[in-house]
Amino acid sequence: MIPIDKKRIVTLAGTLVLAGAVVAAGVYGPSVWKVFRQQSAITDQVVIQTPAVDGNNNGSNGTMLPEGTAPPAVKGGAETTPTAAPTTINAPPQSDSGSKNKYKEPDTKLIDLAPSITAFFGEAALSNDAKTLAFGSAWNIHQYVDGYLYGPAAGPQMNEEDIKKYIVFHKTLLDKQYKNEANASKASAFTSYLDVLLNSGIDSFDSKDKTRIEQFHQGIHDLDAHLMRNDASSKIYGATPFATKRT
């Protein structure tokens, strides 16, 4: 069982949309957690992970968000003072402690769908909002999985428990977006695959099973670099039913 109340996270996602913080911008990394921290005085709290952006920080800072609050998806929004001091979370031991790869915000200009999934997006299927949200989810999660498996030089750092929560957060936003999509059923092959992939990531980091984590890494890598960015220079693991042959 995942030790986090999904209903509360759905509330967070709902508040996010109602507040006008449009997730379609695809930006919900470090800047996403800042604005709504003081919206509620409710004592029940959910731990939402703040990704590390400081290259001198090997860990990541956990911030307690009261129920009913949500991070914005608008980059550069007004900031408020956190209600609780951040705590340092130790990243997994890494052999490479040299140069550190900082978190990078999703760059929607790089979206270039692979031919195998283009039919699932557009006027007859999923909206542009859904496309940028799926892209941002793949981009963000991929960075932290790379950092976890291959060290600070490969990506920003976060431990198993917090990567799991990070995947849960992104999956919840996607689930909410699908409910707002009039033609979501026409893209069910893709959305169902994405649902299975993210669930496998949650389970793998929950179990701390390195073999399963590597299997998830191959899937999230292919989703990000191959399907969403169609990066011809990137390796293809073939860990997706939508793999596109490159000539």
Side-chain angles (χ1 to χ4, degrees):
M1 296 296 291
I2 300 169
I4 192 164
D5 191 326
K6 185 174 182 180
K7 182 178 180 181
R8 292 177 184 170
I9 299 184
V10 171
T11 300
L12 293 177
T15 305
L16 180 75
V17 175
L18 291 174
V22 183
V23 292
V27 179
Y28 40 94
S31 62
V32 79
W33 319 110
K34 296 177 181 177
V35 172
F36 296 113
R37 286 174 177 165
Q38 296 180 339
Q39 274 191 337
S40 172
I42 298 173
T43 55
D44 289 341
Q45 295 177 322
V46 177
V47 175
I48 298 297
Q49 178 64 32
T50 302
V53 289
D54 184 355
N56 295 320
N57 182 4
N58 289 337
S60 47
N61 296 325
T63 301
M64 298 293 288
L65 295 181
E67 181 182 359
T69 63
V74 178
K75 192 172 182 180
E79 296 187 14
T80 59
T81 302
T83 57
T87 56
T88 299
I89 299 175
N90 293 326
Q94 306 291 349
S95 58
D96 179 4
S97 58
S99 60
K100 296 177 177 61
N101 193 331
K102 296 181 181 180
Y103 170 86
K104 296 178 182 178
E105 294 280 8
D107 184 354
T108 56
K109 296 189 297 295
L110 297 178
I111 295 177
D112 180 16
L113 300 180
S116 57
I117 64 169
T118 52
F120 297 121
F121 298 91
E123 294 182 0
L126 295 176
S127 68
N128 190 61
D129 288 359
K131 178 173 66 177
T132 54
L133 189 57
F135 167 73
S137 297
W139 171 296
N140 281 330
I141 296 169
H142 188 193
Q143 289 185 75
Y144 284 96
V145 176
D146 275 357
Y148 172 82
L149 288 174
Y150 308 121
Q157 300 295 286
M158 194 185 286
N159 66 15
E160 296 103 333
E161 179 67 18
D162 295 290
I163 295 179
K164 178 185 72 175
K165 292 175 184 176
Y166 200 50
I167 300 171
V168 168
F169 176 76
H170 287 76
K171 183 178 181 301
T172 302
L173 292 180
L174 284 164
D175 289 345
K176 183 172 181 61
Q177 181 65 41
Y178 298 152
K179 292 178 182 178
N180 296 328
E181 295 285 321
N183 298 314
S185 61
K186 296 181 179 180
S188 60
F190 179 76
T191 59
S192 295
Y193 165 71
L194 189 53
D195 187 66
V196 170
L197 175 64
L198 296 182
N199 277 333
S200 73
I202 293 167
D203 290 342
S204 67
F205 280 99
D206 189 42
S207 68
K208 299 179 175 62
D209 184 323
K210 291 296 181 65
T211 299
R212 293 172 62 191
I213 290 172
E214 174 53 36
Q215 291 173 341
F216 171 67
H217 165 258
Q218 293 181 9
I220 200 69
H221 168 93
D222 281 359
L223 175 66
D224 175 29
H226 173 40
L227 298 184
M228 301 304 298
R229 287 189 282 136
N230 201 20
D231 181 359
S233 65
S234 180
K235 178 178 181 179
I236 296 180
Y237 288 98
T240 165
F242 304 104
T244 300
K245 184 178 181 181
R246 288 179 182 157
T247 55

